[in-house]
Amino acid sequence: MKLVIGLLTIAISLPASAATVTIRADDWFPMNGDPNGDKQGYMIDMATAIFTAAGHTVDYKVMPWERAINSVREGKFDCVVGAYPEDAPDFIFPSLNWGMDGTGYYVNNASTWTFTGFDSLLTQKVGVISGYAYGEEFDALIKSRPDVFKDVSGTDALEKNFKKLVNNRIDVVVESVSVANAKLKELGFNEALKSAGTNAEKAPIYIACSPAKPTSKMYIELIEKGTETLRASGQLKDILNKYGLQDWQ
């Protein structure tokens, strides 16, 4: 009850008629997953808790990441989830992140290759996802070496990459550690594939809203205040527990 009252107070302080907040992204579980599943992803659960308590409804669907970014940028939809600032620097981001993400490098179980830095990737065929931001230095490397980095797209892009890896069509897959672990379990590939290393640093990930829509600033303010309320009330902990996760702060 305290959570609902707190979030409704936020909504009252930002007058607006009830709206449908449209969220788009590719499948990036546990951040966001199947819109029709029992577990849509913790970021979708957070967004739903915040926006519904403020009198709005949430319309969440998956699409290829590049298309999601472009569609939200054009104002066709309101927000994306699972975004780095590098993904869409022109978007409106909240001051509070919705997670910390580390990058892992995955290989066949029989492989002896290990990740020792970006240069070590240049001897491999590496699977990446079209439109993803991997960091300024890595993005430049991907662009400069199409002979090494092979991109795929679609709502099932990670699944495609892992299947290519299992079938020896590529040597390495680059992916978020938490997302990769969930996908490997889903596909039953835990024994076939393994981690060959991770980046030393983690990066913040966010929900971010369209630069083309006048409602975005209001939604971001709701998100910022709502995130604080979810954390203070204990509801954020409950949401994360559903996915076997802990608060990143």
Side-chain angles (χ1 to χ4, degrees):
M1 182 61 70
K2 289 181 180 179
L3 172 65
V4 173
I5 292 172
L7 288 175
L8 286 176
T9 301
I10 295 169
I12 291 169
S13 69
L14 295 166
S17 58
T20 298
V21 182
T22 50
I23 298 175
R24 298 293 184 268
D26 65 341
D27 187 333
W28 212 47
F29 191 83
M31 290 73 162
N32 61 286
D34 182 358
N36 300 312
D38 294 333
K39 293 182 177 180
Q40 295 188 358
Y42 80 83
M43 287 191 173
I44 302 305
D45 290 356
M46 289 178 67
T48 300
I50 290 169
F51 286 122
T52 57
H56 305 307
T57 58
V58 170
D59 170 36
Y60 161 62
K61 291 183 173 63
V62 295
M63 60 175 57
W65 183 244
E66 278 189 304
R67 183 179 160 203
I69 289 288
N70 290 334
S71 296
V72 171
R73 176 175 284 120
E74 293 168 2
K76 294 178 181 177
F77 306 109
D78 292 303
C79 306
V80 295
V81 290
Y84 300 103
E86 295 89 347
D87 280 311
D90 54 325
F91 280 31
I92 303 174
F93 283 77
S95 59
L96 299 175
N97 65 65
W98 274 14
M100 296 295 293
D101 183 49
T103 300
Y105 302 86
Y106 297 85
V107 297
N108 271 297
N109 206 33
S111 174
T112 59
W113 179 88
T114 57
F115 175 74
T116 57
F118 294 150
D119 286 348
S120 66
L121 293 165
L122 300 181
T123 61
Q124 308 294 303
K125 290 183 180 179
V126 183
V128 294
I129 295 178
S130 181
Y132 272 27
Y134 293 94
E136 186 175 350
E137 181 182 356
F138 196 12
D139 289 345
L141 186 62
I142 291 171
K143 186 175 181 180
S144 70
R145 293 297 302 270
D147 57 316
V148 171
F149 298 98
K150 309 299 179 182
D151 67 330
V152 296
S153 61
T155 58
D156 59 346
L158 179 57
E159 180 174 338
K160 289 177 183 175
N161 268 341
F162 276 145
K163 287 182 176 179
K164 287 172 69 177
L165 184 57
V166 165
N167 291 312
N168 296 307
R169 293 171 57 197
I170 54 177
D171 304 309
V172 182
V173 168
V174 183
E175 186 52 72
S176 154
V177 173
S178 57
V179 173
N181 288 342
K183 184 60 69 173
L184 289 174
K185 181 178 180 181
E186 176 191 330
L187 296 173
F189 286 171
N190 279 323
E191 293 186 4
L193 304 178
K194 65 181 180 180
S195 172
T198 60
N199 284 351
E201 297 182 357
K202 292 185 177 182
I205 45 178
Y206 297 84
I207 182 172
C209 298
S210 174
K213 303 197 76 169
T215 50
S216 290
K217 289 184 178 180
M218 180 189 71
Y219 290 158
I220 289 297
E221 189 169 345
L222 271 177
I223 288 162
E224 290 177 338
K225 293 180 179 179
T227 301
E228 292 176 343
T229 303
L230 287 178
R231 181 169 278 121
S233 70
Q235 189 172 354
L236 176 59
K237 181 179 179 180
D238 292 340
I239 289 171
L240 294 174
N241 283 344
K242 180 179 174 182
Y243 299 90
L245 302 173
Q246 294 184 337
D247 194 341
W248 50 93
Q249 286 195 357

